[in-house]
Amino acid sequence: MAQDLALDLEELRHLHSIAKRPRILSLLSSEIHNLEKLSSEAPSAPASQIPAPISTGAKVSPSPALKYATLASFSWDQDGDKVKIYVLMEGIDEEKVESDFKSTSFDVKFHDVQGKNYRCAISKLHKEIVPEKCMVVVKPKRAIITLAKASKGNWLDLHFKEDKLKPNLDKQKDPMAGIMDMMKNMYEEGDDEMKKTIAKAWTDARSGKTADPLSSYR
């Protein structure tokens, strides 16, 4: 109703501005006065009747955690300064490669490769690397992960492996314990000929046929 009164007033005021005859002007003025009075007396709409604004923004659901297929098969080679890992895979987008190099590990993720995500990672490397000098280069049919060695030398493996043949020379332990452990590991990991040789040496030493090979350490 209030909106209709406002429109009527606007129209009457327009007519009043263009009217010329005194009687018409008087009639218009009287009608304008009446409408202005009605407009001032008209109750305003209750706040509860004013519709609340409707949010049209779509709710954004949290992105699900990405799933990765682990690349367990790859080739590698090395020189004195670096190690190169070759990942044979087509369709790699260099802009969608994410890499994380640390002193003893690396994690390289390949996103959206023919609709799948892949990951090449080693949690503990054979030796330390220099993270800021490492890189990933993408070729048409492969990716090359270059690891810069912290110190020059030859790596026996990419993964860290504890040297079981190294005697444990902890001062707080019996010096013989480390040597015994080394002999035990040699026996367990050796071939049949090695096991026979070690067993014979121990048997002969215990029977007195030969000198105990460890007597100098006691």
Short mmCIF file of all heavy atoms in Angstrom, two decimals, residues 66-74 87 89 98 100 106-111 113 116-122 145:
data_model
loop_
_atom_site.label_atom_id
_atom_site.label_comp_id
_atom_site.label_asym_id
_atom_site.label_seq_id
_atom_site.Cartn_x
_atom_site.Cartn_y
_atom_site.Cartn_z
N LEU A 66 43.98 -36.60 -1.28
CA LEU A 66 44.40 -37.21 -2.54
C LEU A 66 45.00 -38.59 -2.29
O LEU A 66 45.67 -38.82 -1.28
CB LEU A 66 45.43 -36.32 -3.23
CG LEU A 66 44.95 -34.95 -3.73
CD1 LEU A 66 46.10 -34.16 -4.32
CD2 LEU A 66 43.84 -35.11 -4.76
N LYS A 67 44.75 -39.49 -3.21
CA LYS A 67 45.31 -40.84 -3.12
C LYS A 67 46.41 -40.98 -4.16
O LYS A 67 46.29 -40.49 -5.27
CB LYS A 67 44.21 -41.88 -3.35
CG LYS A 67 43.15 -41.90 -2.26
CD LYS A 67 42.12 -42.99 -2.52
CE LYS A 67 41.06 -43.03 -1.41
NZ LYS A 67 40.05 -44.08 -1.66
N TYR A 68 47.48 -41.67 -3.76
CA TYR A 68 48.63 -41.83 -4.65
C TYR A 68 48.97 -43.31 -4.83
O TYR A 68 48.90 -44.09 -3.88
CB TYR A 68 49.86 -41.11 -4.08
CG TYR A 68 49.71 -39.61 -3.97
CD1 TYR A 68 49.20 -39.03 -2.82
CD2 TYR A 68 50.09 -38.78 -5.02
CE1 TYR A 68 49.06 -37.65 -2.71
CE2 TYR A 68 49.96 -37.41 -4.93
CZ TYR A 68 49.44 -36.85 -3.78
OH TYR A 68 49.31 -35.49 -3.68
N ALA A 69 49.37 -43.64 -6.05
CA ALA A 69 49.90 -44.98 -6.33
C ALA A 69 51.42 -44.89 -6.20
O ALA A 69 52.05 -44.00 -6.79
CB ALA A 69 49.51 -45.43 -7.73
N THR A 70 52.01 -45.77 -5.40
CA THR A 70 53.44 -45.72 -5.15
C THR A 70 54.22 -46.30 -6.33
O THR A 70 53.90 -47.39 -6.82
CB THR A 70 53.80 -46.51 -3.88
OG1 THR A 70 53.09 -45.95 -2.77
CG2 THR A 70 55.29 -46.45 -3.61
N LEU A 71 55.23 -45.57 -6.77
CA LEU A 71 56.09 -46.03 -7.86
C LEU A 71 57.25 -46.80 -7.24
O LEU A 71 58.26 -46.23 -6.84
CB LEU A 71 56.61 -44.84 -8.67
CG LEU A 71 55.55 -44.08 -9.48
CD1 LEU A 71 56.14 -42.79 -10.03
CD2 LEU A 71 55.04 -44.94 -10.63
N ALA A 72 57.09 -48.10 -7.16
CA ALA A 72 58.11 -48.93 -6.53
C ALA A 72 59.18 -49.36 -7.53
O ALA A 72 60.27 -49.79 -7.15
CB ALA A 72 57.46 -50.16 -5.90
N SER A 73 58.88 -49.26 -8.81
CA SER A 73 59.80 -49.72 -9.84
C SER A 73 60.39 -48.52 -10.60
O SER A 73 59.65 -47.74 -11.19
CB SER A 73 59.08 -50.66 -10.81
OG SER A 73 59.94 -51.07 -11.84
N PHE A 74 61.70 -48.39 -10.53
CA PHE A 74 62.40 -47.32 -11.26
C PHE A 74 63.86 -47.72 -11.37
O PHE A 74 64.34 -48.62 -10.68
CB PHE A 74 62.25 -45.97 -10.56
CG PHE A 74 62.54 -46.00 -9.09
CD1 PHE A 74 63.85 -45.98 -8.63
CD2 PHE A 74 61.51 -46.05 -8.16
CE1 PHE A 74 64.14 -46.01 -7.27
CE2 PHE A 74 61.78 -46.08 -6.80
CZ PHE A 74 63.10 -46.06 -6.35
N VAL A 87 62.16 -42.27 -13.74
CA VAL A 87 60.77 -42.74 -13.63
C VAL A 87 60.17 -42.75 -15.03
O VAL A 87 59.96 -41.70 -15.63
CB VAL A 87 59.94 -41.81 -12.71
CG1 VAL A 87 58.50 -42.29 -12.64
CG2 VAL A 87 60.55 -41.77 -11.31
N MET A 89 57.33 -42.83 -17.38
CA MET A 89 55.89 -42.59 -17.34
C MET A 89 55.56 -41.46 -18.32
O MET A 89 56.20 -40.41 -18.32
CB MET A 89 55.46 -42.22 -15.91
CG MET A 89 53.97 -42.08 -15.73
SD MET A 89 53.53 -42.11 -13.96
CE MET A 89 54.60 -40.84 -13.28
N GLU A 98 55.06 -32.07 -7.62
CA GLU A 98 55.36 -31.51 -6.30
C GLU A 98 56.53 -32.30 -5.69
O GLU A 98 56.47 -33.53 -5.61
CB GLU A 98 54.13 -31.62 -5.39
CG GLU A 98 54.35 -31.10 -3.98
CD GLU A 98 53.13 -31.30 -3.10
OE1 GLU A 98 52.04 -31.60 -3.65
OE2 GLU A 98 53.27 -31.19 -1.87
N ASP A 100 59.64 -32.62 -2.55
CA ASP A 100 60.07 -32.25 -1.20
C ASP A 100 61.38 -32.99 -0.91
O ASP A 100 61.38 -34.21 -0.71
CB ASP A 100 58.99 -32.61 -0.18
CG ASP A 100 59.39 -32.23 1.25
OD1 ASP A 100 60.26 -31.37 1.40
OD2 ASP A 100 58.83 -32.81 2.19
N PHE A 106 63.47 -37.98 0.27
CA PHE A 106 62.81 -37.17 -0.75
C PHE A 106 61.42 -37.73 -1.01
O PHE A 106 61.13 -38.91 -0.74
CB PHE A 106 63.63 -37.12 -2.05
CG PHE A 106 63.57 -38.39 -2.88
CD1 PHE A 106 62.56 -38.59 -3.81
CD2 PHE A 106 64.52 -39.38 -2.71
CE1 PHE A 106 62.51 -39.75 -4.57
CE2 PHE A 106 64.47 -40.55 -3.45
CZ PHE A 106 63.45 -40.73 -4.40
N ASP A 107 60.55 -36.87 -1.51
CA ASP A 107 59.17 -37.26 -1.80
C ASP A 107 58.72 -36.46 -3.02
O ASP A 107 58.59 -35.23 -2.96
CB ASP A 107 58.27 -36.96 -0.60
CG ASP A 107 56.86 -37.50 -0.77
OD1 ASP A 107 56.55 -38.06 -1.85
OD2 ASP A 107 56.06 -37.37 0.17
N VAL A 108 58.52 -37.15 -4.14
CA VAL A 108 58.09 -36.48 -5.38
C VAL A 108 56.72 -37.01 -5.77
O VAL A 108 56.51 -38.22 -5.87
CB VAL A 108 59.10 -36.73 -6.53
CG1 VAL A 108 58.62 -36.06 -7.81
CG2 VAL A 108 60.47 -36.19 -6.15
N LYS A 109 55.77 -36.09 -5.99
CA LYS A 109 54.40 -36.46 -6.33
C LYS A 109 54.05 -35.98 -7.73
O LYS A 109 54.31 -34.83 -8.07
CB LYS A 109 53.43 -35.86 -5.31
CG LYS A 109 53.65 -36.35 -3.89
CD LYS A 109 52.77 -35.60 -2.90
CE LYS A 109 53.03 -36.06 -1.47
NZ LYS A 109 52.25 -35.28 -0.49
N PHE A 110 53.47 -36.87 -8.52
CA PHE A 110 53.05 -36.56 -9.88
C PHE A 110 51.52 -36.56 -9.91
O PHE A 110 50.89 -37.61 -9.74
CB PHE A 110 53.59 -37.60 -10.87
CG PHE A 110 55.10 -37.75 -10.82
CD1 PHE A 110 55.68 -38.73 -10.03
CD2 PHE A 110 55.91 -36.91 -11.55
CE1 PHE A 110 57.06 -38.87 -9.97
CE2 PHE A 110 57.30 -37.04 -11.50
CZ PHE A 110 57.88 -38.02 -10.71
N HIS A 111 50.93 -35.38 -10.11
CA HIS A 111 49.47 -35.26 -10.06
C HIS A 111 48.84 -35.35 -11.45
O HIS A 111 49.38 -34.83 -12.43
CB HIS A 111 49.08 -33.93 -9.41
CG HIS A 111 49.49 -33.81 -7.97
ND1 HIS A 111 50.54 -33.02 -7.55
CD2 HIS A 111 49.02 -34.42 -6.86
CE1 HIS A 111 50.68 -33.12 -6.25
NE2 HIS A 111 49.78 -33.96 -5.79
N VAL A 113 48.20 -37.68 -13.77
CA VAL A 113 48.86 -38.32 -14.91
C VAL A 113 47.89 -39.35 -15.47
O VAL A 113 47.69 -40.41 -14.87
CB VAL A 113 50.18 -39.00 -14.48
CG1 VAL A 113 50.86 -39.64 -15.70
CG2 VAL A 113 51.10 -37.99 -13.82
N LYS A 116 45.39 -40.19 -12.81
CA LYS A 116 45.85 -40.78 -11.54
C LYS A 116 46.98 -39.96 -10.94
O LYS A 116 47.64 -39.18 -11.64
CB LYS A 116 46.32 -42.23 -11.77
CG LYS A 116 45.21 -43.20 -12.16
CD LYS A 116 45.75 -44.61 -12.27
CE LYS A 116 44.65 -45.61 -12.62
NZ LYS A 116 45.17 -47.00 -12.70
N ASN A 117 47.21 -40.16 -9.64
CA ASN A 117 48.30 -39.50 -8.93
C ASN A 117 49.34 -40.55 -8.52
O ASN A 117 48.97 -41.63 -8.03
CB ASN A 117 47.79 -38.78 -7.67
CG ASN A 117 46.75 -37.73 -8.01
OD1 ASN A 117 46.90 -36.97 -8.96
ND2 ASN A 117 45.68 -37.69 -7.23
N TYR A 118 50.61 -40.23 -8.74
CA TYR A 118 51.68 -41.17 -8.43
C TYR A 118 52.69 -40.53 -7.48
O TYR A 118 52.81 -39.31 -7.41
CB TYR A 118 52.40 -41.62 -9.71
CG TYR A 118 51.52 -42.40 -10.65
CD1 TYR A 118 50.79 -41.75 -11.64
CD2 TYR A 118 51.41 -43.79 -10.55
CE1 TYR A 118 49.97 -42.47 -12.51
CE2 TYR A 118 50.61 -44.51 -11.42
CZ TYR A 118 49.88 -43.84 -12.39
OH TYR A 118 49.09 -44.55 -13.25
N ARG A 119 53.43 -41.40 -6.79
CA ARG A 119 54.37 -40.91 -5.78
C ARG A 119 55.65 -41.74 -5.81
O ARG A 119 55.59 -42.97 -5.82
CB ARG A 119 53.72 -41.00 -4.41
CG ARG A 119 54.51 -40.40 -3.28
CD ARG A 119 53.70 -40.49 -2.00
NE ARG A 119 54.17 -39.63 -0.94
CZ ARG A 119 53.54 -39.45 0.21
NH1 ARG A 119 52.39 -40.09 0.42
NH2 ARG A 119 54.03 -38.66 1.12
N CYS A 120 56.79 -41.06 -5.79
CA CYS A 120 58.09 -41.73 -5.71
C CYS A 120 58.80 -41.14 -4.49
O CYS A 120 59.13 -39.94 -4.48
CB CYS A 120 58.90 -41.49 -6.98
SG CYS A 120 60.51 -42.32 -6.97
N ALA A 121 59.03 -41.96 -3.47
CA ALA A 121 59.60 -41.45 -2.23
C ALA A 121 60.48 -42.48 -1.56
O ALA A 121 60.24 -43.68 -1.65
CB ALA A 121 58.48 -41.02 -1.28
N ILE A 122 61.51 -42.00 -0.87
CA ILE A 122 62.37 -42.83 -0.03
C ILE A 122 62.51 -42.11 1.30
O ILE A 122 62.99 -40.97 1.35
CB ILE A 122 63.74 -43.08 -0.67
CG1 ILE A 122 63.57 -43.92 -1.96
CG2 ILE A 122 64.67 -43.80 0.30
CD1 ILE A 122 64.87 -44.21 -2.68
N ILE A 145 64.76 -37.60 -11.48
CA ILE A 145 64.95 -37.01 -10.15
C ILE A 145 66.45 -37.01 -9.85
O ILE A 145 67.06 -38.08 -9.79
CB ILE A 145 64.20 -37.81 -9.08
CG1 ILE A 145 62.70 -37.90 -9.43
CG2 ILE A 145 64.38 -37.19 -7.70
CD1 ILE A 145 61.92 -38.86 -8.54
#
